[in-house]
Amino acid sequence: MLSRIKDLATTIAPRLIEIRRHIHSHPELSGQEYQTAAFVAGVLSSSGLHVQEGVGKTGVIGELQGTGEDKRILAIRTDMDALPIQERSGLEFASRIEGIMHACGHDVHTTVGLGTAMILAQIAEEISGKVRFLFQPAEEIAQGASWMVADGAMDQVSGILGVHVFPSIPAGSIGVRYGALTAAADDLEIIIMGESGHGARPHEAIDAIWIASQVITTLQQAISRTQNPLRPVVLSIGKINGGRA
């Protein structure tokens, strides 16, 4: 079976390269993956999978039923959204959308999910249970997973596999880890209310920008002194706005 999978992977590799480059060229932001979802649904349908669209807003589910009597369902989850970043790679398949690119590898993830579905569909007679492919939207804003769960994407699932590219792992190798690998994402918003004044007389104002800089620095220091270093915590302040003059 393994040798057959390898042969199938080699056969469809050129098609997967085309798919990945198409997705990379047409990135969509979180919750706006309409064209990506339609493309994914088309590939899944052409491979013979039962497809559900609009799961968790713009998510897609593809199900492959094996031939055995095993009632368990294995889910394979990948994500589809891109980031609000300008691509300047100069590649022929670079993003065609101004200010948006697949900078986190979700174009690869989607392609891996589709490739896995395409291969398993050709060896369905050797699969005893059901495989459910989850193509999740809005991973970058930490919303898409809960959207899909609310729409029943995880109903009756016995186990799930997630995937993410990892640049430090050599091509052709796979890293496996049980439990947490990177970090859970939560949104944190802090609003600092200052009071305007003249730059030459800062003591007469409340400088919100200076306060914000202290807050950011102190938060990082607080983590190192309040949390167990054997259980890492990561805090990233991703955006700061302040001042109009």
Side-chain angles (χ1 to χ4, degrees):
M1 183 175 176
L2 181 58
S3 61
R4 186 180 177 192
I5 290 175
K6 289 182 176 180
D7 290 341
L8 289 170
T10 301
T11 300
I12 69 171
R15 172 58 177 151
L16 296 181
I17 292 173
E18 291 177 356
I19 289 173
R20 184 258 166 166
R21 292 184 175 182
H22 171 81
I23 295 172
H24 189 88
S25 297
H26 301 84
E28 295 175 296
L29 293 175
S30 302
Q32 303 174 29
E33 306 92 340
Y34 301 106
Q35 296 302 317
T36 304
F39 180 81
V40 166
V43 174
L44 293 173
S45 295
S46 65
S47 298
L49 278 73
H50 174 70
V51 178
Q52 293 177 264
E53 298 182 66
V55 182
K57 299 185 179 180
T58 50
V60 180
I61 290 179
E63 288 196 333
L64 178 65
Q65 180 63 59
T67 57
E69 298 181 357
D70 196 327
K71 302 299 183 182
R72 291 176 298 176
I73 299 175
L74 172 65
I76 298 176
R77 173 265 182 203
T78 54
D79 40 22
M80 304 184 294
D81 52 331
L83 287 163
I85 295 175
Q86 180 66 36
E87 180 166 4
R88 296 190 176 91
S89 66
L91 296 169
E92 60 176 302
F93 54 90
S95 172
R96 299 180 184 179
I97 311 300
E98 186 73 18
I100 305 175
M101 76 169 291
H102 273 292
C104 195
H106 295 189
D107 53 331
V108 178
H109 301 170
T110 302
T111 304
V112 169
L114 290 174
T116 304
M118 293 162 68
I119 291 174
L120 293 185
Q122 297 186 61
I123 59 171
E125 72 280 359
E126 299 186 48
I127 298 175
S128 58
K130 180 184 290 186
V131 183
R132 180 179 295 170
F133 294 90
L134 309 177
F135 293 87
Q136 179 199 312
E139 188 275 341
E140 295 293 355
I141 60 172
Q143 298 290 326
S146 59
W147 294 347
M148 292 196 76
V149 170
D151 273 359
M154 289 294 292
D155 290 356
Q156 299 179 313
V157 168
S158 303
I160 184 169
L161 298 175
V163 61
H164 204 293
V165 291
F166 214 84
S168 62
I169 297 178
S173 301
I174 298 175
V176 178
R177 178 186 174 92
Y178 295 92
L181 176 60
T182 53
D186 290 303
D187 289 332
L188 172 68
E189 182 176 354
I190 301 173
I191 299 175
I192 297 172
M193 305 298 293
E195 185 173 332
S196 61
H198 197 285
R201 295 186 294 277
H203 61 287
E204 297 177 357
I206 298 176
D207 189 345
I209 293 178
W210 173 76
I211 295 171
S213 67
Q214 300 301 309
V215 168
I216 293 171
T217 300
T218 304
L219 283 174
Q220 301 295 345
Q221 295 172 345
I223 286 179
S224 69
R225 288 297 176 264
T226 62
Q227 302 299 312
N228 183 345
L230 300 180
R231 301 184 64 183
V233 176
V234 176
L235 174 64
S236 296
I237 306 297
K239 185 175 182 179
I240 179 170
N241 293 316
R244 294 190 300 273

